[in-house]
């Protein structure tokens, strides 16, 4: 655990990608199995650990510290894991620090009621850095500037395998990845993918930038609708099927209605949508089926889901990924014809003559579940990751409304000393009601100005939250609106970000909730 | 809470902490006729006072910084030496903060007040250790007056620096340190750890390092950075003021690992703000454990807290049944602004 803690500590202040890679690679080379595998999983965000709730951590520390001193400290530090790691009374007689694998194994085997005592025991045995790392691990979200891709890139330093080769097997192996390390370090063959119904890394698109558009020749591309559902990968084999989210999580269990109807042998790429006999449902419809572990018969009947397919990676054992897009499209069309199902259909091509014509259909699509168009090079192979110049997404212009800043909170990580998370509201009668939260969209310079505004306009405090004078108008851009029972306003924006700070605009002239409600599709 | 009666002869005024029966200020913030200076940091020793009483070293530091503006006349005292000023007996004892730093022990009418200035209790090879003086009222700093501040051993932190130097021999290690106290302590600790190579200095650090050496503190082989080709610094340790870490000057370093030596480095967000790739938690101010131990050790009935995060320390002292209050001193109050805190870390 100590080596892992030191790695996280160094990563938390490492200045750039290369320094981070060096640190991770050095750790992986010098740490034995299985600890390094668990560390890798946690860096890559693939460690499924029973999370500890912050409230549990707070109770543990409350038993050991003066509440007033805790309050002052937490207020100053702003991060629970860091505050607790520093405040925790050091047990100077403790010697053996726990191994990462010991912690993970013990947690897996433990009963729920045993967790607090276990955590306290480990905190006693660790130093402040070790405690911080453990608490970050347990509360989820390391936030040390490492993506799954960067963690896997570090693996290329262990042997001859390149990143695409590692990405390919990544979803066929599990923490602590002993088989993967054995292969990378030349002790064993590559882990087998043939029989496993594994997720294959997706090909992703870049947003289409205006200046890039002028350089692209429409004749090289094919256009499709960009559906407002969720991207999925469907793996079918030997009468069985598995459905994966875009990050490779198996979400099959939430969609029995879909999975039971499928047959064939293929790996397919498409959009999960609500599909009724009379057409496609909105994202708001689909929302009723998302983030559920189980699903009732009633929900299945009311919101039946299906997949609109747009690519094929494998047709039975044939790897189609090296084929050009138009050839894959033909393979996919034939496959769909052979496997007719009310739950699967083919995403149609959109005729694209020139930019002007395409811009017109993009601005006025035939269905509300369309959020723009996709442009894919006719000759593009299916290349995992986000390769340049092959696929583009060209979304409809975002919606924009003017809202008023109501609350602010300090951010995390690099931003933990700045107020960078903002709750904003819109008018309902003569009262502002919160309609959303945004923590990006602004430049560093704007963030400093926002932070200064918050510091100078605090009117109330609730724990870490600061209520501010309701005077600053923020222009919020967002991609859509859903109904929400969890929000007092009854609406939830999708992907809200601060488009502009309207220092010039009086709060009274901000928008009303009704304006936002009208955008619900 | 009730005003302590001892405030009747020592009180905070706009010009600083003023002793009525002696008619002098301790660490005045405005030009004073008669001043006692605890130590050479700029927020304590200011130019332009008329008569100055301080340790030799503190006066030497003030002269190095301010030249003829350091004061019109000086009374140089040794630790423990007793001086009478008016109806007050004055004695300076070691504070363990930087070379020459002192606590001011004031006695009047059978009462004793200790103005500790800045202090620390942990080991520092470049200055005399803190001396406990029991008293009726103790004025303590609270720069790191929160229980999250528990400084690790400075030698261990210097060990981390040396481990990083060994692990990245193709890079240069650029260490941000304050010119007075921190620079010399880090150098001395490097020497203790067996690092014998030349240590390279930014111009702003040279004068005080030379003064320390003249006053008998051995810092080994030092050389200026100025005029050296970039490659000459590969694998070397270079020291500079924290403010130079991000400016154009630092671009002449070959692929530097940026280290910052400060008690604030305990908090990761601070380390990131400072751009410290290698934060070193080394402080010349007492941490929470040292502050609370000192409050117990001096056995004073009254604790006045100044200079930092007073709330938590006042709360702690009251929980011991002591009378405690925050004492606001102009010029040394911190409002939580990061830059001020960082500058203060050197004070
Ligand atoms: Zn000082
Ligand atoms: Zn000071």
């Amino acid at each position: 655990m100590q080596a892992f803690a030191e790695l996280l500590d160094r990563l938390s202040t490492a200045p750039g990608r290369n320094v981070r890679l060096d640190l991770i690679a050095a750790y992986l080379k010098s740490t034995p199995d299985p600890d390094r595998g668990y560390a890798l999983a946690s860096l890559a965000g693939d460690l499924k650990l029973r999370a500890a709730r912050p409230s549990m951590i707070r109770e543990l520390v409350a038993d050991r510290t003066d509440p007033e001193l805790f309050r002052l400290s937490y207020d100053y530090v702003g991060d629970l894991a860091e505050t607790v790691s520093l405040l925790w009374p050091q047990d100077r007689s403790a010697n053996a620090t726990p191994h990462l694998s010991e912690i993970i194994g013990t947690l897996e085997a433990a009963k729920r009621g045993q967790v607090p005592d276990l955590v306290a025991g480990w905190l006693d045995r660790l130093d402040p850095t070790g405690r911080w790392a453990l608490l970050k691990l347990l509360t989820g979200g390391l936030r040390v500037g490492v993506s799954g891709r960067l963690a896997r890139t570090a693996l290329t330093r262990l042997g001859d395998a390149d990143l695409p080769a590692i990405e390919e097997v990544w979803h066929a192996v599990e923490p602590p990845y002993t088989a993967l390390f054995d292969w990378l370090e030349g002790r064993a063959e590559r882990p087998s993918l043939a029989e496993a119904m594994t997720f294959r890394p997706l090909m992703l698109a870049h947003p289409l930038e205006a200046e890039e558009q002028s350089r692209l020749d429409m004749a090289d591309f094919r256009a499709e609708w960009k559906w407002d559902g969720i991207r999925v990968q469907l793996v079918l084999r030997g009468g069985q099927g598995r459905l994966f989210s875009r990050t490779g999580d198996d979400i099959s269990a939430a969609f029995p209605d879909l999975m039971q109807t499928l047959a064939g042998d293929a790996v397919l790429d498409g959009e999960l949508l609500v599909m009724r006999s009379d057409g496609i449902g909105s994202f708001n419809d689909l929302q009723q089926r998302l983030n559920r572990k189980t699903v009732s018969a009633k929900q299945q009947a009311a919101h039946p889901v299906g997949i609109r397919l747009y690519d094929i990676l494998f047709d039975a054992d044939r790897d189609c990924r090296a084929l050009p897009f138009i050839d894959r499209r033909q393979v996919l069309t034939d496959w769909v014809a052979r496997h007719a199902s009310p739950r699967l259909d083919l995403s149609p091509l959109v005729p694209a003559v020139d930019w002007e014509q395409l811009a017109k259909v993009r601005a006025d699509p035939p269905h509300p579940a369309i959020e723009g168009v996709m442009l894919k090079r006719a000759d593009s192979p299916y290349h995992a990751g986000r390769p340049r110049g092959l696929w583009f997404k060209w979304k409809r212009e975002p919606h924009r409304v003017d809202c008023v800043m109501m609350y602010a909170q300090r951010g995390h990580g690099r931003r933990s000393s700045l107020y960078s998370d903002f709750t904003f509201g819109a008018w309902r009668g003569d009262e502002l009601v919160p309609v959303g939260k945004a923590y990006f969209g602004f430049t560093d310079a704007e963030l400093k100005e926002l932070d200064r505004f918050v510091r100078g306009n605090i009117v109330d405090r609730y724990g870490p939250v600061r209520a501010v004078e309701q005077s600053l108008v923020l222009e919020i851009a967002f991609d859509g609106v859903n109904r929400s029972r969890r929000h007092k306003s009854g609406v939830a924006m999708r992907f809200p970000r601060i488009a502009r700070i309207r220092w010039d605009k009086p709060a009274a002239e901000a928008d009303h909730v009704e304006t936002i409600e009208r955008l619900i599709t | 809470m009730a005003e302590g009666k001892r405030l009747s002869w020592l009180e905070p005024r706009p010009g600083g902490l003023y002793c009525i029966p002696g008619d002098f200020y301790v660490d005045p913030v405005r030009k004073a006729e008669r001043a006692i200076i605890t130590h050479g940091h700029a927020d304590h020793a200011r130019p332009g006072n008329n008569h100055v009483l301080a340790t030799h070293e503190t006066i030497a530091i003030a002269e190095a910084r301010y030249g003829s503006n350091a004061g019109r006349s000086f009374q140089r005292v040794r630790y423990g030496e007793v001086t009478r000023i008016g109806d007050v007996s004055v004695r300076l004892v070691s504070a363990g903060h930087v070379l020459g730093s002192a606590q001011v022990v004031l006695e009047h009418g059978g009462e004793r007040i200790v103005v500790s200035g800045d202090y620390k209790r942990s080991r520092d090879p470049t200055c005399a250790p803190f001396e406990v003086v029991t008293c009726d009222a103790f004025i303590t700093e609270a720069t790191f007056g929160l229980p999250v501040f528990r400084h690790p051993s400075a030698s261990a932190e210097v060990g981390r620096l040396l481990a990083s130097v060994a692990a990245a021999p193709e890079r240069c290690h650029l260490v941000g340190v304050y010119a007075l106290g921190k620079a010399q302590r880090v150098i001395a600790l490097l020497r203790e750890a067996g690092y014998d190579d030349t240590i390279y200095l930014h111009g702003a650090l040279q004068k005080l390092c030379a003064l320390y050496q003249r006053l008998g503190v051995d810092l080994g082989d030092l050389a200026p950075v100025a005029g050296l080709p970039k490659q000459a610094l590969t694998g070397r340790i270079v020291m500079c003021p924290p403010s130079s870490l991000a400016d154009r000057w630092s671009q002449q370093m070959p692929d530097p690992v940026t280290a910052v030596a400060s008690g604030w480095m305990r908090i990761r967000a601070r380390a990131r703000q400072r751009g410290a790739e290698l934060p070193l938690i080394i402080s010349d101010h007492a941490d929470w454990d040292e502050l609370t131990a000192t409050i117990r050790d001096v056995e004073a009935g009254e604790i006045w807290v100044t200079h930092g995060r007073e709330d938590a320390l006042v709360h702690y002292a009251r929980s011991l049944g002591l009378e405690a209050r925050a004492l606001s001193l102009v010029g040394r109050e911190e409002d939580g602004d990061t830059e001020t805190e960082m500058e203060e870390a050197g004070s």
Side-chain angles (χ1 to χ4, degrees):
Chain A
M1 183 70 202
Q2 212 58 44
F4 177 58
E6 270 154 38
L7 171 66
L8 290 187
D9 189 38
R10 290 300 304 272
L11 286 172
S12 75
T13 54
R17 185 173 179 279
N18 284 334
V19 174
R20 292 196 178 101
L21 269 180
D22 287 344
L23 289 168
I24 299 169
Y27 170 85
L28 292 175
K29 282 180 191 167
S30 63
T31 308
D33 291 321
D35 270 26
R36 62 173 172 172
Y38 288 117
L40 179 66
S42 84
L43 290 172
D46 284 334
L47 190 62
K48 303 280 177 277
L49 204 58
R50 179 193 295 173
R53 282 198 305 275
S55 60
M56 183 203 96
I57 311 283
R58 292 180 81 134
E59 278 163 33
L60 287 179
V61 76
D63 287 347
R64 288 160 177 82
T65 51
D66 177 309
E68 177 67 2
L69 294 179
F70 174 78
R71 188 186 67 77
L72 290 167
S73 298
Y74 187 31
D75 196 49
Y76 177 76
V77 177
D79 176 285
L80 183 66
E82 187 156 351
T83 309
V84 173
S85 73
L86 295 172
L87 272 183
W88 194 267
Q90 184 88 40
D91 179 356
R92 293 185 197 277
S93 65
N95 33 30
T97 61
H99 279 272
L100 183 57
S101 48
E102 174 195 334
I103 289 172
I104 287 165
T106 311
L107 265 185
E108 264 169 15
K111 295 198 186 72
R112 178 150 216 103
Q114 298 172 316
V115 174
D117 281 349
L118 283 171
V119 172
W122 291 321
L123 291 173
D124 283 341
R125 286 160 65 189
L126 291 163
D127 72 0
T129 306
R131 290 195 289 265
W132 169 76
L134 176 66
L135 292 171
K136 284 280 165 197
L137 194 69
L138 293 179
T139 51
L142 298 176
R143 293 177 191 270
V144 291
V146 177
S147 62
R149 192 174 168 81
L150 187 75
R152 290 189 287 277
T153 305
L155 289 173
T156 61
R157 307 274 186 94
L158 297 185
D160 300 328
D162 64 4
L163 185 58
I166 291 168
E167 295 276 10
E168 178 80 14
V169 299
W170 181 253
H171 292 277
V173 291
E174 299 231 312
Y177 309 119
T178 320
L180 177 69
F181 285 114
D182 285 346
W183 166 54
L184 292 171
E185 292 171 340
R187 289 184 300 276
E189 290 296 302
R190 193 179 89 150
S192 163
L193 294 170
E195 292 311 309
M197 295 179 52
T198 53
F199 172 75
R200 312 287 172 148
L202 296 183
M203 176 161 178
L204 304 170
H206 284 272
L208 182 67
E209 309 290 350
E211 39 104 20
E212 200 158 19
Q213 184 184 329
S214 61
R215 277 186 277 117
L216 301 178
D217 183 352
M218 189 63 86
D220 296 336
F221 287 85
R222 296 292 177 272
E224 296 170 4
W225 297 119
K226 180 167 176 15
W227 299 99
D228 193 9
I230 64 166
R231 179 94 180 262
V232 289
Q233 183 173 97
L234 179 63
V235 181
L236 298 170
R237 192 172 187 95
Q240 287 186 305
R242 286 175 81 180
L243 188 66
F244 295 99
S245 72
R246 61 183 292 152
T247 49
D249 292 320
D250 187 338
I251 53 172
S252 320
F255 304 98
D257 48 336
L258 169 66
M259 302 312 290
Q260 281 156 13
T261 64
L262 303 175
D265 191 348
V267 178
L268 302 157
D269 191 357
E271 198 85 0
L272 186 75
L273 296 162
V274 164
M275 278 187 188
R276 298 196 182 88
S277 51
D278 59 347
I280 297 290
S282 68
F283 189 80
N284 205 14
D285 261 343
L286 180 62
Q287 198 93 56
Q288 312 305 317
R289 295 290 306 268
L290 301 181
N291 301 318
R292 292 176 188 278
K293 288 222 175 68
T294 57
V295 57
S296 69
K298 200 176 139 203
Q299 282 159 343
Q300 294 180 42
H303 303 281
V305 294
I307 304 175
R308 188 146 279 190
L309 298 168
Y310 36 68
D311 219 319
I312 185 163
L313 288 74
F314 284 84
D315 180 12
D317 286 331
R318 179 183 178 205
D319 187 345
C320 305
R321 290 175 294 179
L323 299 178
F325 174 78
I326 42 169
D327 293 357
R328 286 203 311 281
R329 175 99 196 160
Q330 193 54 56
V331 175
L332 177 64
T333 309
D334 295 346
W335 191 92
V336 173
R338 293 200 310 273
H339 298 86
S341 156
R343 302 282 191 158
L344 293 180
D345 64 14
L346 190 63
S347 182
L349 291 181
V350 179
V353 185
D354 55 32
W355 288 107
E356 195 186 337
Q357 170 262 337
L358 193 61
K360 232 178 250 164
V361 296
R362 160 177 167 266
D364 187 22
H367 195 282
I370 292 172
E371 53 169 4
V373 291
M374 300 294 301
L375 282 161
K376 299 179 176 176
R377 272 193 77 97
D379 60 0
S380 57
Y382 195 96
H383 192 310
R386 210 185 288 273
R388 299 223 148 261
L390 299 181
W391 286 10
F392 297 95
K393 51 185 172 192
W394 196 25
K395 284 212 212 182
R396 298 175 70 176
E397 294 296 324
H399 305 293
R400 284 166 193 266
V401 288
D402 287 332
C403 295
V404 181
M405 190 196 289
M406 298 178 71
Y407 307 100
Q409 208 173 334
R410 284 181 215 255
H412 292 277
R414 190 170 67 86
R415 286 166 161 189
S416 65
S417 65
L418 295 169
Y419 288 99
S420 62
D421 296 8
F422 307 103
T423 302
F424 47 84
W427 294 105
R428 175 172 282 158
D430 54 5
E431 184 201 18
L432 280 170
V433 286
V435 292
K437 251 183 156 183
Y439 30 89
F440 55 94
F442 34 77
T443 64
D444 281 359
E446 284 171 333
L447 176 56
K448 276 204 183 124
E449 291 173 4
L450 288 167
D451 177 71
R452 200 173 312 134
F453 170 83
V454 172
R455 284 172 198 274
N457 289 278
I458 292 172
V459 293
D460 216 338
R461 290 155 196 261
Y462 317 93
V465 177
R466 302 285 176 269
V468 298
E469 182 71 42
Q470 296 174 351
S471 62
L472 182 61
V473 176
L474 303 172
E475 185 180 317
I476 306 294
F478 56 99
D479 289 350
V481 188
N482 303 324
R483 284 213 181 280
S484 164
R485 250 164 281 145
R486 278 186 302 128
H487 295 81
K488 190 181 164 191
S489 60
V491 295
M493 293 179 177
R494 251 175 299 139
F495 200 51
R497 59 266 187 198
I498 295 177
R500 264 198 305 170
I501 309 171
R502 296 294 305 264
W503 298 104
D504 55 312
K505 191 158 188 170
E509 292 175 21
D511 282 303
H512 289 252
V513 177
E514 295 76 48
T515 311
I516 302 168
E517 280 169 347
R518 251 177 262 132
L519 299 169
I520 296 176
T521 49
Chain B
M1 71 168 279
E3 289 282 288
K5 66 180 161 106
R6 289 167 193 90
L7 272 177
S8 57
W9 61 276
L10 184 71
E11 63 181 27
R13 289 190 177 181
L17 196 59
Y18 179 67
C19 178
I20 299 165
D23 186 25
F24 60 80
Y25 284 88
V26 178
D27 293 347
V29 292
R30 295 181 187 168
K31 291 173 187 176
E33 176 56 30
R34 189 176 275 276
I36 299 178
I37 304 295
T38 58
H39 67 285
H41 279 142
D43 58 332
H44 297 258
R46 293 170 198 256
N49 295 308
N50 198 1
H51 185 81
V52 174
L53 182 148
T55 63
H56 276 266
E57 294 89 346
T58 297
I59 289 170
I61 290 163
E63 283 179 322
R65 289 193 143 169
Y66 304 130
S68 61
N69 225 355
R72 216 163 276 154
S73 71
F74 300 104
Q75 185 175 355
R76 296 175 170 82
V77 296
R78 286 186 307 275
Y79 290 135
E81 192 179 322
V82 179
T83 310
R84 272 208 90 73
I85 305 177
D87 200 14
V88 184
S89 118
V90 177
R91 174 161 64 105
L92 300 190
V93 301
S94 169
H97 175 54
V98 297
L99 184 61
S101 67
Q103 312 172 66
V104 184
V105 182
L106 303 171
E107 292 184 46
H108 168 75
E111 290 170 341
R112 182 190 291 161
I113 304 179
V114 173
V115 184
S116 63
D118 293 340
Y119 67 95
K120 71 170 176 289
R121 308 285 301 264
S122 58
R123 207 181 72 81
D124 182 343
T126 67
C127 69
F130 180 90
E131 185 181 324
V132 173
V133 179
T134 58
C135 53
D136 299 297
F138 183 69
I139 303 184
T140 181
E141 61 143 319
T143 305
F144 292 111
L146 276 177
V148 291
F149 291 109
R150 290 192 162 91
H151 308 323
S153 124
S155 311
E157 292 296 284
V158 163
R160 291 178 54 233
L161 172 59
L162 288 174
S164 177
V165 170
E170 73 293 351
R171 300 177 72 184
C172 140
H173 279 68
L174 184 58
V175 189
V177 286
Y178 288 89
L180 171 57
K182 190 70 60 67
Q184 298 79 20
R185 185 183 185 204
V186 171
I187 294 170
L189 289 170
L190 282 166
R191 299 309 184 204
E192 278 190 354
Y195 185 80
D196 291 330
D197 289 6
T198 301
I199 293 172
Y200 295 85
L201 302 181
H202 182 284
L205 304 183
Q206 288 168 26
K207 193 159 55 177
L208 286 167
C209 285
L211 178 63
Y212 262 60
Q213 285 176 307
R214 214 159 49 239
L215 293 171
V217 179
D218 184 13
L219 299 178
D221 195 11
L222 306 177
V225 169
L228 286 179
K230 198 172 189 169
Q231 311 85 293
L233 297 170
T234 300
R236 303 294 190 161
I237 295 178
V238 179
M239 296 201 170
C240 68
S243 55
S244 298
L245 288 172
D247 69 16
R248 200 176 315 132
W249 176 86
S250 67
Q251 287 168 14
Q252 61 180 306
M253 300 301 135
D255 190 15
V257 174
T258 302
V260 175
S262 159
W264 300 111
M265 294 299 108
R266 188 37 117 181
I267 309 295
R268 278 182 187 79
R270 296 292 148 122
R272 278 184 222 119
Q273 243 162 22
R274 273 271 133 169
E277 177 176 347
L278 183 66
L280 300 171
I281 307 163
I282 302 178
S283 174
D284 289 335
H285 291 270
D287 71 1
W288 176 258
D289 289 337
E290 295 168 47
L291 292 169
T292 53
T294 307
I295 285 177
R296 297 189 301 268
D297 289 349
V298 296
E299 298 171 6
E302 275 191 42
I303 304 294
W304 305 343
V305 185
T306 177
H307 213 37
R309 259 146 251 300
E310 294 93 354
D311 299 359
L313 208 56
V314 167
H315 172 84
Y316 172 83
R318 286 182 187 164
S319 74
L320 295 182
L322 305 176
E323 258 187 71
R325 51 173 291 194
L327 189 69
S328 8
L329 287 177
V330 181
R332 268 185 248 122
E333 226 172 356
E334 305 308 335
D335 62 1
D337 173 66
T338 318
E339 283 310 308
T340 350
E341 280 173 2
M342 288 304 302
E343 297 316 320
E344 198 215 355
S347 71

